[in-house]
Amino acid sequence: MKKLLLAGTLGLMIISCSKKENTTEVASSDAAPVSAPAQSNLSGDQIMETLDCSGCHSVNERMIGPSYKEIAAKYSEKDIDLLASKIIDGGSGVWGGVPMAAHPQVSKEDAKKMVEYILSQKK
């Protein structure tokens, strides 16, 4: 009896799973495009307050990552694009073994504002 019940249940599962649903497929050209990160109207330090930066960085003291003053001492205005890319893509190996998390939701323009704020901490 159990075998018959199991066979019947299995048969219903096969039939129900094999039926095609009446759905319409969306052509790839009709699909919503993947949007780029939106630029905010906030300043660099305000953007950083909305993110997780303070969990690893502070202005004056090394925490898990370098302080903003340490970063400012090591880099200059010519490094803005490089550092903005590191904010967006993440990075590792420059300041130790702990990698910096990527922030793909940050636009390139906002990342540059963040870097400009960090570089303004230069002594």
Side-chain angles (χ1 to χ4, degrees):
M1 181 70 173
K2 285 184 180 180
K3 288 182 181 182
L4 183 58
L5 184 59
L6 181 60
T9 303
L10 184 58
L12 285 174
M13 288 175 50
I14 291 171
I15 291 170
S16 66
C17 291
S18 66
K19 288 183 180 177
K20 290 187 178 181
E21 293 183 25
N22 187 13
T23 60
T24 58
E25 291 186 26
V26 177
S28 61
S29 62
D30 295 338
V34 176
S35 62
Q39 180 180 358
S40 72
N41 293 321
L42 301 174
S43 65
D45 59 322
Q46 291 171 327
I47 297 166
M48 293 164 71
E49 288 174 12
T50 69
L51 299 171
D52 58 354
C53 305
S54 64
C56 297
H57 303 279
S58 75
V59 173
N60 297 311
E61 295 179 29
R62 177 182 281 267
M63 295 173 53
I64 294 170
S67 70
Y68 298 143
K69 288 191 178 202
E70 288 177 287
I71 297 168
K74 183 173 184 149
Y75 294 98
S76 70
E77 301 291 321
K78 68 178 173 57
D79 300 310
I80 290 176
D81 284 330
L82 168 74
L83 295 174
S85 293
K86 286 188 178 226
I87 290 170
I88 296 167
D89 299 331
S92 64
V94 176
W95 296 95
V98 179
M100 186 174 88
H103 299 85
Q105 74 278 21
V106 177
S107 70
K108 186 75 165 187
E109 293 78 19
D110 281 351
K112 287 181 179 182
K113 289 181 193 177
M114 295 165 64
V115 172
E116 289 166 359
Y117 167 74
I118 293 168
L119 294 179
S120 76
Q121 304 304 309
K122 199 175 288 277
K123 293 180 183 181

